[in-house]
């Protein structure tokens, strides 16, 4: 298996279970990573050997990971170390600032986004499919970080992980309508939806990058892996490629110790 070459701000590491993608800009801030197909996480799974391996790759343990039950919405879970035994609520992002506590989301084509704040030590994991993107889940996440811990969006570092790319994400016109109805201005949606004569494509990478910037995250702090899960289906899980047979990939990040 040949691994696709990511942009220079990302790199692969070799884990006992297979390759993991990491963002260089996050490397110094928080243990984190995007798992690949070789880990074989099952949909809905919250523990088990694969999750134990994923946690170990970020220096963590499964009971320390705050999870959510992803429903393609814009609700953000605030994870506190003392509440990790609570059942995962319906939400599509999780944030924490308790050192050694992790947050994670899973995806197979949807966009996983990891955030870290070097000033406060807060971290976030976000799941943004088209519905979550239209609902601006990344904006809701940044707002939660600011509300909870006074995070200045200008200091946040963001990594947009492997997900379906504009090369493969042909969509119906009703998605464009949904984004317009969600209040996104044409100046933005015209960048996110592109008509190439034969089909309409949605660029979720640009959309989430733009929405992060709209929330105050600096352009130079947003890193896009730009690796398409369907194009590289031998490396990544892709729901579009494999349907119900698709597994899931985890995006995890651990809140660092504070000085
Ligand atoms: Zn593609």
């Amino acid at each position: 298996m040949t691994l696709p070459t990511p942009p220079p701000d990302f790199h692969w590491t070799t884990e006992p279970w297979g390759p993991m993608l990491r963002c260089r800009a996050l490397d110094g801030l928080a243990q984190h990573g995007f798992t690949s197909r070789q880990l074989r996480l099952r949909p809905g799974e919250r523990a088990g050997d694969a999750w134990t391996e994923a946690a170990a790759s970020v220096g963590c343990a499964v009971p320390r990971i705050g999870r959510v039950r992803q429903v393609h919405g814009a609700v953000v879970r605030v994870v506190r170390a003392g509440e990790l035994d609570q059942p995962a609520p319906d939400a599509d992002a999780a944030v924490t600032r308790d050192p050694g506590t992790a947050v994670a989301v899973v995806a197979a084509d949807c966009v996983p986004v990891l955030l870290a704040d070097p000033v406060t030590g807060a971290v976030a994991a976000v799941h943004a499919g088209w519905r979550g993107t239209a609902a601006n889940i990344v904006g809701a996440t940044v707002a939660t970080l600011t509300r909870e811990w006074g995070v200045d969006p200008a200091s946040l570092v963001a990594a947009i992980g492997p997900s379906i790319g504009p090369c493969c994400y042909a969509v119906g016109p009703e998605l464009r309508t949904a984004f317009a109805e969600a209040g996104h201005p044409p100046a933005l949606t015209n960048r996110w939806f592109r008509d190439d004569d034969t089909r309409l494509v949605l660029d979720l990478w640009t959309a989430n990058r733009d929405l992060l910037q709209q929330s105050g995250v600096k352009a130079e702090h947003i890193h896009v892996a730009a690796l398409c899960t369907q194009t590289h289906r031998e490396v990544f899980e892709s729901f579009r490629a494999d349907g119900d047979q698709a597994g899931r990939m985890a995006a995890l990040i651990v809140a660092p110790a504070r000085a």
Side-chain angles (χ1 to χ4, degrees):
M1 182 183 65
T2 309
L3 293 172
T5 305
D9 39 355
F10 286 82
H11 64 109
W12 291 104
T13 60
T14 304
E15 305 301 315
W17 49 265
M20 188 174 215
L21 190 72
R22 304 185 199 248
C23 175
R24 293 186 200 281
L26 288 178
D27 277 340
L29 303 180
Q31 287 256 47
H32 74 284
F34 300 94
T35 69
S36 61
R37 185 182 178 99
Q38 275 179 273
L39 191 58
R40 312 279 336 152
L41 297 174
R42 305 320 308 171
E45 191 178 52
R46 305 204 168 277
D49 292 348
W51 272 104
T52 300
E53 298 247 39
S57 290
V58 293
C60 191
V62 173
R64 307 290 308 162
I65 305 175
R67 300 284 306 276
V68 291
R69 227 171 60 89
Q70 297 169 198
V71 292
H72 296 280
V75 172
V76 182
R77 178 189 183 189
V78 179
V79 176
R80 307 195 195 275
E83 301 171 353
L84 282 164
D85 53 346
Q86 292 181 4
D90 287 0
D92 283 272
V95 298
T96 192
R97 197 181 77 130
D98 291 341
T101 299
V103 285
V105 293
V106 295
D109 289 341
C110 290
V111 182
V113 183
L114 296 177
L115 296 158
D117 178 38
V119 178
T120 63
V123 296
V126 185
H127 162 256
W130 78 261
R131 285 188 181 81
T133 302
N136 195 6
I137 179 72
V138 289
T141 304
V142 172
T144 302
L145 291 168
T146 300
R147 185 193 72 216
E148 291 292 322
W149 301 299
V151 168
D152 178 358
S155 68
L156 280 170
V157 175
I160 295 177
S163 41
I164 196 157
C167 44
C168 291
Y169 198 27
V171 300
E174 69 281 3
L175 265 66
R176 194 173 197 144
T177 306
F179 273 73
E181 286 174 355
H184 301 289
L188 287 177
T189 55
N190 289 342
R191 286 163 51 79
W192 307 344
F193 288 91
R194 290 196 290 270
D195 234 320
D196 70 359
D197 292 336
T198 55
R199 54 182 202 157
L200 181 66
V201 299
L202 172 53
D203 182 348
L204 290 173
W205 300 336
T206 299
N208 282 287
R209 169 193 276 279
D210 285 351
L211 290 169
L212 284 165
Q213 280 189 247
Q214 186 176 278
S215 300
V217 182
K218 290 184 170 174
E220 63 266 34
H221 291 172
I222 304 170
H223 305 271
V224 183
L227 295 175
C228 173
T229 42
Q230 185 166 347
T231 298
H232 302 291
R233 55 187 290 185
E234 73 287 359
V235 176
F236 302 120
E237 300 284 2
S238 171
F239 186 78
R240 280 220 163 183
D242 298 324
D244 290 339
Q245 298 304 307
R248 296 292 182 270
M249 299 181 294
L252 315 95
I253 189 163
V254 188
R258 292 203 294 273

